[in-house]
Each structure stands twice: as structure tokens, then as C-alpha cells.
Amino acid sequence: FTCNLSDLLCCLLGLLYQEYRDKSTRQEIETRRLQDSQTDPEESSPSEETPPEAEPTSTTENKAPPQISLLRNSNSRFNLWQDLPEIRSSGVLSILQPDEIKLQEAMFELVTSEASYYKSLNLLVSHFMENERLKKILHPSEAHILFSNVLDVMAVSERFLLDLEQRVEENIVISDVCDIVYQHTVNHFSVYITYVSNQTYQERAYKQLLQDKPAFREVISQLELDPKCKGLSFSSFLILPFQRITRLKLLVQNILKKVEEKSDRETTALDAHKELETVVKACNEGVRKMSRTEQMISIQKKLEFKIKSVPIISHSRWLLKQGELQQMNGPKTSRTLRTKKLFREIYLFLFNDLLVICRQIPGDKYQVFDSAPRGLLRVEELEDQGQSLANVFILRLLENADDREASYMLKASSQSEMKRWMISLAPNRRTKFVSFTSRLVDCPQIQCVHPYVAQQPDELSLELADVLNILDKTDDGWIFGERLHDQERGWFPSSMGEEILNPKIRAQNLKECFRVHKSDDSQRRKLGSRNRQ
């Protein structure tokens, strides 16, 4: 069957990528909710159900394959491959197995979502970047920081989409798309690393322009009100490339879960996923590198050493957590005394390889009075505490700044804050529940139903439909989780997700995750000891 680029864009008429992505992830959430309520996870769901068999059509050997006008209808319904009239009338649905239909849907979503993404990128360029009023307001250097190499990104997306189109044209049943994903990731997707690495500069420049240039603020507001933007903000267009490269990896994962094992399509899917994972990691590192360097310089300026000075700035060091705790004064025998005078405030800076213990002094400065390598820290929660000693734990430095062992009894402001400090200080300490890497059959799981942006370094940003293993939870509404698709760990509010109650679904999620990562067994063995924060 035949379609072209304009057909693909027409197929998503009125549906920008931001909307498409939102519909897709919310549909994924609803599918999982339905599966969770069923006894058998293999039972079909609305997004994957096999339609009633179409009446086989009489065909001749010379009959041309049907042409498909992909979702030409302008309504905003989220269409499926099997819903296309040309597919239903072809009789192919009566021939294909249900698993193959699910695989066709997964590949079809990758193609149509790329078309939607390209449409949104095109709008970012034509509507915002090339606006004549905006060009007159922005200095060329400001425009470069704001839009970076978006033209390169759009050109790569167009080339990628054309190759996907060509594959779709070959047969009414899509043979594969992951081989195309692999080739483009290896040869062209480095433009995403360049764009995403500029994100910190981009965000800062945008905020500065809104603050310093009223004319810029006015033009952006007017452009955002244009009906073609569908009520979406300018910033939502700027972050499209980072969202897309991350989402593309998940779409390949979804295909990988549906291809037959030990098949050529599994091999190409594994290869594509591995290359995408490399690009996504490089994007993440690019974003973190600049913000971490600036943060380390800022912290260095605030520290005054009462002990022997420790160089803070290092290319391999970053902040994991900082904050105020109360240190208990006096010997341990005085624990039972219930008075606030037992405690005095101290301030901790915890890096990935170093702990610095300070007291805050005037002038927004911190006086360092002890330190220790992070690998030489141990924590212990106190048991049978009275109310005044709630949320208290022992921090032991096996070798401190004076080359001796030291202990601190510390009190946190809440149970969640205590647990967060304990896990950050001693990351290899056993959590309440098992982790992804344990390979045990069952573990509490949660799926994200509200997106969350991390506010602290030890927190985890969540996207809709993320599935996580629950490693620990607190009584005051926080969860320490490990995301299945990338094994990133962190804290987030429990209100952001819904627990998955069906043990069969939890086991299925783990099985699929192991399959996705089976191409790198050595990496999996390292996951348990790797610091993912």
C-alpha cells in the first residue's frame, strides 16, 4: 500500500506531538489498569483487542494492494492500525495471529508518533523561530541559544520519517521498523545530544528574556494564543527533542516485548534499543554536566574549613543531597532526656563520593568540622524511640577527617526525610522491599498516573505510565522506587502513582524488563552496586 509524508501529517491533523504523546501514555495507563483488575494478564484490553474477523475479500493474484490514507479523518480519536478501513477490508486481520496484530500496532505507533513529532517541530520552526517580529527582538546569539540546532534535529526527523514511510509502503503488513531505528540512531541521532546538552543554557536564556525584554514576552504570548498551538506553551515545544528521544526508546521497548523470541526482529529491536539507550544516556549526561559544575563551584565558595581543607570541585563529583539535621549533644546515656537542648543544628553536603559535615555561620557560609569518604559511611535506625527521639538515626564514619571512627546521632524532621538521608548516605543498605536486580518473582510495583518533576537531587522525575518497583515507602507519603525501563532510582510522592495489585501483572512487567535488557548481562550484574542517583 502507498502513503507519503503529507499523508502521515494529514493523519494527525489537529494532533500535535504533545497531544499525541499524552493520549498514548494515558491509554497505556488505562490498559494497565484494566489488566491489573483481571485474573489473567493475557486477557485482551481495549488498546490491543483483536477486532471481529473481517469478511475475507476475494482477491486475484494481480490485484494491487490497497492504498491507505493514514487517519485522514480530522477528529482527535487515537486510531489504531487495525481500525484503518483499508486494513479491515483487506482480510488480513482474519489471517494474522493476535500477537502479530499487537506487534503491528506497536510498530504503527512508532511511525505515526514520528509524524506527529515532526509536525510539532515544524511548528516550532515556522511559527516561532522564523517569526519576523521575534527575529528583530532577539540578538543572533540569543536566538542560537534559544533554538540551538533545532533545524538539524528537524532534518533528521524528516529523513527518519521518510525511511519509515518507505517501509510502510512495501506491504500492508509492516515487516519491521527497528532496523531503520538502528541505522538512524547510529548515523544521525547525535544531533539530539547537541540539542539536549544545551538545555540548561536554553532554560536560563528563556527566563532571562522573559524578564528583561517585555517585547519578547509580548510576542511569545501572542504566538502561543494562535489556534495552531492548541493552547500549548512555547516551552513545551522547546523540550520536544528530549521528550522524543526518550519516548522513542520506550516505543522500541514496546516492540521488543511483542516480537517473537530468538527471531531476526528481536535481534534488530535489541540492537536499536541498545543504541538508543546510549544516546539517551549521553543526553542525560550532557544536561547534568553543566548544572553540576556550576553547583559545585557555588558550594565551594560557601565552605570554610575548620579542619584540613578538602578540594570539593572535581569532574567526577556531584551533589546527591544537602540539608539540615539536628545532632544530639552529650553521651548516649542522655537519650531519655526529653528536651530540645539535646540537639543542635548541623548541615550536611553529601556528594557521590564524599560527605562534608558543617555548621551554618553568618553570611550564607558553612564551617566544615568533619568529613569522610561516602564508601566509609554506615547508618543505623534507632528502635523503640520515644516521641522526642522519633526519626533519629546513627551515622558512623569509619574513617573521618582525623583518620578515626566517629559517630553522630542525628534527628530528621520527618520519617521520609530520615529514610531519604539513610538511603543516600548508605546506598547499599538493604531496603524494605527487593529491587529489580534481585530477580525475585514478586515485588511491590506502582505505575505513574501524574507526571512529577524532581525537586531535590535524591528525587526521581516521573513520566506518565512509568512502572517502578517500590523499594521503600514511608508513613508520610513518600516512595523510594526503581524505574523498570532504565533502573533509575529515587524518591517521589506516593500520590503520583497507583500500586499494581495483580501479582501476575507484576511478574509480567519484570519478565518483559529482563527481556529488554538481556543483550547486556554484564551490565545487569553491575546494576545492584551502581549508584543511579
Side-chain angles (χ1 to χ4, degrees):
F1 68 96
T2 305
C3 63
N4 53 40
L5 182 60
S6 59
D7 288 328
L8 280 169
L9 296 178
C10 284
C11 82
L12 293 151
L13 183 64
L15 205 60
L16 295 174
Y17 182 67
Q18 296 95 315
E19 300 171 294
Y20 188 104
R21 183 169 174 268
D22 185 63
K23 283 177 177 289
S24 175
T25 50
R26 292 194 181 281
Q27 185 179 58
E28 189 176 341
I29 289 171
E30 291 304 321
T31 298
R32 199 172 285 121
R33 280 173 174 162
L34 181 60
Q35 289 176 332
D36 195 29
S37 67
Q38 296 171 344
T39 304
D40 186 353
E42 294 301 319
E43 289 182 33
S44 59
S45 60
S47 66
E48 296 182 335
E49 64 181 352
T50 304
E53 292 189 359
E55 290 293 326
T57 53
S58 58
T59 58
T60 64
E61 291 183 4
N62 297 325
K63 184 174 180 180
Q67 295 186 345
I68 289 186
S69 303
L70 291 178
L71 315 184
R72 280 185 181 276
N73 53 312
S74 60
N75 63 34
S76 60
R77 181 170 175 264
F78 187 79
N79 289 71
L80 300 170
W81 173 81
Q82 61 192 304
D83 289 335
L84 298 174
E86 294 85 352
I87 297 295
R88 299 183 76 88
S89 64
S90 70
V92 71
L93 293 175
S94 64
I95 301 171
L96 296 179
Q97 295 296 316
D99 286 347
E100 178 63 32
I101 293 176
K102 292 177 183 179
L103 176 58
Q104 291 295 310
E105 296 290 5
M107 293 190 289
F108 183 70
E109 182 181 0
L110 189 146
V111 178
T112 54
S113 64
E114 187 66 29
S116 177
Y117 167 63
Y118 177 79
K119 178 180 180 179
S120 290
L121 278 182
N122 194 45
L123 188 58
L124 170 62
V125 171
S126 62
H127 186 61
F128 290 99
M129 181 179 174
E130 295 179 349
N131 180 269
E132 291 300 325
R133 290 179 61 194
L134 207 56
K135 283 183 178 180
K136 292 177 182 178
I137 294 170
L138 293 176
H139 186 275
S141 63
E142 292 172 329
H144 176 69
I145 294 173
L146 201 57
F147 295 102
S148 189
N149 64 327
V150 69
L151 291 177
D152 295 334
V153 173
M154 189 169 74
V156 164
S157 175
E158 181 175 7
R159 191 183 301 122
F160 181 42
L161 184 56
L162 286 168
D163 283 353
L164 291 172
E165 271 193 281
Q166 187 175 354
R167 178 59 55 81
V168 171
E169 289 174 5
E170 292 174 358
N171 198 303
I172 194 168
V173 177
I174 306 169
S175 59
D176 197 2
V177 293
C178 288
D179 56 330
I180 297 173
V181 175
Y182 172 81
Q183 292 296 333
H184 281 261
T185 305
V186 170
N187 297 318
H188 307 299
F189 282 6
S190 60
V191 297
Y192 281 95
I193 301 172
T194 303
Y195 186 93
V196 175
S197 296
N198 182 58
Q199 186 176 318
T200 303
Y201 292 105
Q202 185 186 66
E203 291 174 352
R204 182 181 303 162
Y206 181 48
K207 290 178 182 177
Q208 201 67 40
L209 286 167
L210 288 175
Q211 181 178 325
D212 298 344
K213 292 191 174 183
F216 172 81
R217 187 168 61 245
E218 180 183 348
V219 171
I220 290 295
S221 296
Q222 290 175 356
L223 292 174
E224 287 176 335
L225 290 173
D226 192 296
K228 67 179 68 172
C229 289
K230 302 288 182 179
L232 296 165
S233 67
F234 174 53
S235 58
S236 78
F237 286 90
L238 289 178
I239 63 172
L240 283 170
F242 189 30
Q243 290 181 332
R244 180 56 182 172
I245 195 67
T246 306
R247 184 65 182 170
L248 196 56
K249 188 187 83 165
L250 297 181
L251 291 171
V252 171
Q253 281 190 9
N254 193 36
I255 292 171
L256 181 53
K257 294 171 185 177
K258 293 174 172 58
V259 294
E260 54 273 41
E261 293 195 48
K262 299 181 180 179
S263 65
D264 289 342
R265 291 196 292 193
E266 183 187 54
T267 300
T268 57
L270 285 169
D271 290 343
H273 180 266
K274 184 178 179 180
E275 293 301 325
L276 280 169
E277 200 162 47
T278 300
V279 172
V280 170
K281 285 180 179 178
C283 287
N284 286 328
E285 285 305 309
V287 172
R288 291 167 180 164
K289 186 175 181 180
M290 185 211 164
S291 58
R292 283 173 173 174
T293 300
E294 291 193 343
Q295 187 178 46
M296 296 300 288
I297 293 172
S298 175
I299 292 172
Q300 174 81 66
K301 292 177 179 178
K302 294 180 179 181
L303 299 182
E304 294 182 1
F305 285 83
K306 187 178 179 181
I307 57 173
K308 182 180 178 182
S309 179
V310 177
I312 296 298
I313 299 175
S314 167
H315 72 278
S316 60
R317 178 174 293 153
W318 61 88
L319 183 72
L320 293 183
K321 189 170 179 61
Q322 70 178 78
E324 188 176 271
L325 291 169
Q326 295 186 64
Q327 178 194 359
M328 178 176 178
N329 293 317
K332 293 183 179 180
T333 53
S334 62
R335 288 186 199 174
T336 55
L337 298 177
R338 300 193 176 190
T339 168
K340 291 182 180 179
K341 292 181 181 179
L342 276 175
F343 298 94
R344 63 179 300 186
E345 295 171 352
I346 64 170
Y347 201 93
L348 272 57
F349 289 95
L350 178 65
F351 305 99
N352 61 307
D353 62 347
L354 177 71
L355 171 67
V356 175
I357 306 176
C358 322
R359 288 193 177 90
Q360 192 163 6
I361 57 178
D364 194 26
K365 298 280 187 178
Y366 299 89
Q367 187 179 66
V368 181
F369 65 87
D370 209 351
S371 65
R374 187 179 179 220
L376 298 179
L377 303 177
R378 301 293 184 269
V379 293
E380 175 189 347
E381 185 175 354
L382 291 182
E383 298 178 359
D384 302 323
Q385 307 164 43
Q387 184 175 353
S388 66
L389 290 177
N391 310 318
V392 173
F393 66 97
I394 303 293
L395 169 63
R396 286 197 300 129
L397 283 55
L398 300 184
E399 187 178 304
N400 72 350
D402 297 326
D403 297 325
R404 60 181 177 82
E405 185 172 329
S407 293
Y408 294 90
M409 185 178 294
L410 304 175
K411 181 179 176 66
S413 59
S414 64
Q415 185 196 44
S416 59
E417 189 65 9
M418 178 189 71
K419 286 197 171 188
R420 287 170 67 164
W421 270 112
M422 291 178 71
I423 287 176
S424 295
L425 289 162
N428 294 326
R429 180 175 175 271
R430 184 177 176 84
T431 53
K432 185 175 182 181
F433 303 108
V434 297
S435 72
F436 162 79
T437 54
S438 69
R439 283 184 169 274
L440 294 184
V441 175
D442 201 9
C443 172
Q445 289 178 4
I446 192 169
Q447 78 160 330
C448 172
V449 296
H450 302 290
Y452 180 69
V453 178
Q455 306 297 310
Q456 299 293 334
D458 65 335
E459 293 180 9
L460 184 63
S461 291
L462 301 178
E463 297 284 351
L464 285 173
D466 278 351
V467 176
L468 306 97
N469 275 351
I470 299 173
L471 305 184
D472 213 332
K473 58 171 63 175
T474 68
D475 296 335
D476 53 352
W478 284 84
I479 287 175
F480 183 57
E482 181 178 57
R483 187 164 45 215
L484 293 190
H485 77 73
D486 60 6
Q487 291 85 59
E488 289 283 334
R489 291 184 176 190
W491 290 90
F492 55 90
S494 57
S495 57
M496 296 298 106
E498 295 175 353
E499 192 159 346
I500 297 173
L501 303 177
N502 191 326
K504 291 185 178 180
I505 297 300
R506 294 196 296 266
Q508 179 177 298
N509 290 338
L510 284 177
K511 180 181 177 182
E512 290 174 348
C513 203
F514 289 134
R515 184 181 180 191
V516 165
H517 293 279
K518 78 176 185 178
S519 63
D520 194 348
D521 290 330
S522 61
Q523 180 186 29
R524 188 185 306 134
R525 286 195 295 270
K526 297 175 185 176
L527 289 176
S529 59
R530 184 189 302 164
N531 169 33
R532 304 174 186 89
Q533 300 175 22

